[in-house]
Amino acid sequence: VWETGLYHLYDLKWNPNDAFRNYTKIVFDTKVPDGIDPDSPLFQTDDGKVSVYESGTELYYISSDEICLCGELSQMFDFFSAEEIVLNNFNTDEVTNMSLMFRGCKALRVLDLGSNFNTENVEYMYCMFDYCNDLQSVNLSSFNTKNAVYMESMFAGMKINLNFDGNIVKAAEFAYYKFIDKKNKEQYDGYYTHYAWIGGMRRWYED
């Protein structure tokens, strides 16, 4: 645990190996669920502020405070079997990379990003929801993409429509659009329509 109070994934002993990928429900929350002994965690962080519990195929990360993560969340849930992921006290203010974060979660039906899922400092979002085939909706109302650089194939393979202020875009088609690199203004190679995000996801225009 860093002096800033931020956690890297290895502080939480997060190891997306086969065992982690087989959980059907993963929850980050403030209270231990009923039926689980609060005095018998699988493990705790060194500072004792985050405890992890297992109940069958369900995994719970519990902390009375926000779980503040920093740096890179790339591939955090990559190809997990989870049907439900809940991030109630998941603070991402210092996160810069969310690429491939939920890629290949083909069984995922419920994704609750909570109220502290901040994307303001995130630069990499490519393939973030790539092939979340069963996911019925994604709430992007809190997304701020002012610093995002790479967002290609963010929703590749998804079957839902995306609503950006009344502009309906099929996720499967949206996946193939190439985005402008806002740092050096160079466009990605490709033969598809170029789009750039300005002021977050609420405004968009054709280049």
Side-chain angles (χ1 to χ4, degrees):
V1 179
W2 302 100
E3 292 181 359
T4 57
L6 300 174
Y7 297 92
H8 279 289
L9 291 181
Y10 55 72
D11 293 318
L12 301 178
K13 293 186 171 62
W14 186 268
N15 182 17
N17 54 26
D18 290 341
F20 268 64
R21 288 194 172 108
N22 288 332
Y23 286 107
T24 59
K25 183 177 181 179
I26 300 171
V27 177
F28 286 74
D29 211 341
T30 57
K31 295 181 179 180
V32 179
D34 293 339
I36 295 179
D37 183 359
D39 295 323
S40 301
L42 282 177
F43 61 83
Q44 290 181 316
T45 53
D46 292 340
D47 59 6
K49 291 184 177 180
V50 182
S51 300
V52 182
Y53 301 88
E54 182 184 57
S55 177
T57 60
E58 300 178 357
L59 189 67
Y60 296 87
Y61 279 74
I62 305 299
S63 174
S64 58
D65 300 320
E66 291 180 346
I67 299 176
C68 299
L69 294 166
C70 61
E72 185 164 325
L73 299 186
S74 177
Q75 297 180 285
M76 182 173 184
F77 300 99
D78 192 33
F79 290 103
F80 272 47
S81 300
E83 299 174 7
E84 182 176 358
I85 296 175
V86 180
L87 308 177
N88 279 338
N89 62 336
F90 205 63
N91 187 310
T92 58
D93 288 353
E94 302 295 328
V95 174
T96 57
N97 189 350
M98 293 184 178
S99 62
L100 309 165
M101 187 172 178
F102 302 99
R103 179 182 63 162
C105 291
K106 295 183 178 181
L108 185 61
R109 294 189 177 128
V110 177
L111 176 60
D112 184 351
L113 298 176
S115 59
N116 300 312
F117 197 83
N118 185 1
T119 63
E120 183 175 352
N121 292 312
V122 178
E123 297 183 11
Y124 304 96
M125 290 183 170
Y126 61 87
C127 299
M128 186 173 178
F129 302 99
D130 190 14
Y131 286 95
C132 292
N133 294 353
D134 285 347
L135 192 58
Q136 299 302 306
S137 65
V138 182
N139 186 351
L140 304 176
S141 60
S142 66
F143 272 46
N144 182 335
T145 59
K146 70 177 185 178
N147 288 313
V149 178
Y150 302 108
M151 299 173 68
E152 65 269 28
S153 299
M154 188 171 173
F155 305 98
M158 294 182 67
K159 301 173 183 177
I160 62 174
N161 291 337
L162 305 169
N163 188 334
F164 299 106
D165 277 0
N167 296 293
I168 306 300
V169 183
K170 290 183 179 180
E173 296 176 358
F174 182 92
Y176 298 106
Y177 295 160
K178 304 293 184 176
F179 293 87
I180 292 176
D181 183 330
K182 293 189 292 184
K183 285 191 171 179
N184 56 32
K185 304 302 181 183
E186 293 180 359
Q187 294 181 349
Y188 293 98
D189 293 332
Y191 302 98
Y192 300 96
T193 306
H194 290 271
Y195 285 86
W197 298 97
I198 50 179
M201 280 194 162
R202 294 181 179 273
R203 301 175 61 197
W204 60 307
Y205 65 92
E206 186 171 345
D207 179 50

